[in-house]
Amino acid sequence: MSETTVNPGTLYIVATPIGNLGDISQRAIDILAQVDVIACEDTRHSGKLLSAFSIKNKTLSMHDHNERQRQEQIATMLQEGKTIALVSDAGTPLISDPGFHLVRHCRSLGLTVSPVPGACAAISALSVAGLPTDRFSFEGFLPSKSGARQSTLLALENEPRTMVFYDAPRRAIDTVKDIVTTLGGERYVVIARELTKTFETIHSDSAQNLLDWLEQDPNQLKGEMVLIIEGHKVDANDIPAEAINTLKLLLAEMKPKKACAITAEIHGIKKNALYDIALSLK
């Protein structure tokens, strides 16, 4: 195994544990121990992690409210040849966490930004959900208010891909009620809670059955949660035969995406409803 060394003027995007301290990689520990500064979403929270691995480097707060101000300061330090690591409170930075503006600014200046891969709650949950993973959509945090949440879910009603969300467990009952209302009680849903922690729970069922389970067990309304919803299943019997014939003819001449778009336009059908059929025909 080669020894890890940091390169001057580099911003490292370092994944940290999502629960179990063992989630962290040896390379991440080495990088954090060597950089000049560690930019943290919450210095007190990250301080506990750094203390666990006897890392005493200088820390700097960088969160949603000060990222635009910090990006100039951090870019200047990088231009001076310093090395900086960016960490979030848990998991991979920038995945529904601060850092986008900083990374984009640094790249626009030609500075080196390098990933140090590791734990990510969304991918960890998806890997154990038992839902299709060949195509999936990460949708980030659901809105906290029911009206906005229902609007978001309705907009995804015909999304054929597996959908991954972050949500607060304390809202889980209200969220699943909204799933039942908008997507139907039979839609398959997975809740992955407290991943890699002592009380890790991964539970899957129809939305209605999942709602009943949550209402019976208040312990499931604590901690951190990933919510995964099965994509919309297209029944070929619901698509007019003439539309399928059109799709077949177009598939002989062009790629599925374009064939679906043209067929949808001709027959007044949503193109997402045609894509799975196109793949089966191709």
Side-chain angles (χ1 to χ4, degrees), residues 234-248 263-264 266-270 273-274 277 281:
V234 179
D235 186 345
N237 295 323
D238 294 337
I239 305 296
E242 58 268 26
I244 294 179
N245 288 334
T246 300
L247 185 59
K248 286 179 179 178
T263 303
I266 293 172
H267 295 281
I269 300 169
K270 291 185 178 179
L274 295 165
I277 296 173
L281 293 173

Side-chain angles (χ1 to χ4, degrees), residues 141-146 149 166-178 191-194 211 213-215 217-227:
F141 282 94
L142 278 165
S144 58
K145 294 185 178 180
S146 181
R149 190 163 55 237
Y166 287 158
D167 200 16
R170 67 180 182 277
R171 293 197 295 263
I173 289 176
D174 291 336
T175 295
V176 178
K177 281 181 179 178
D178 288 338
I191 282 179
R193 191 183 66 84
E194 294 290 85
L211 176 59
W213 174 72
L214 287 169
E215 291 180 330
D217 188 357
N219 287 323
Q220 303 305 328
L221 307 180
K222 301 174 183 177
E224 305 292 334
M225 186 177 83
V226 181
L227 182 73

Side-chain angles (χ1 to χ4, degrees), residues 91-170:
T92 301
L94 278 80
I95 309 302
S96 283
D97 276 327
F100 160 70
H101 297 292
L102 171 64
V103 168
R104 185 161 186 162
H105 181 63
C106 289
R107 291 186 62 81
S108 73
L109 295 175
L111 296 167
T112 302
V113 183
S114 180
V116 182
C120 173
I123 298 301
S124 298
L126 190 62
S127 73
V128 295
L131 285 170
T133 56
D134 53 334
R135 298 173 65 234
F136 63 89
S137 170
F138 177 64
E139 300 292 336
F141 282 94
L142 278 165
S144 58
K145 294 185 178 180
S146 181
R149 190 163 55 237
Q150 287 193 24
S151 295
T152 296
L153 291 168
L154 276 172
L156 295 166
E157 182 181 9
N158 294 310
E159 171 58 64
R161 297 171 293 178
T162 297
M163 294 167 280
V164 185
F165 302 86
Y166 287 158
D167 200 16
R170 67 180 182 277

Side-chain angles (χ1 to χ4, degrees), residues 1-6 12 26-32 34 116:
M1 183 182 297
S2 60
E3 183 180 348
T4 299
T5 57
V6 296
Y12 292 95
Q26 184 60 53
R27 180 169 175 245
I29 294 170
D30 292 345
I31 293 288
L32 291 174
Q34 293 181 58
V116 182

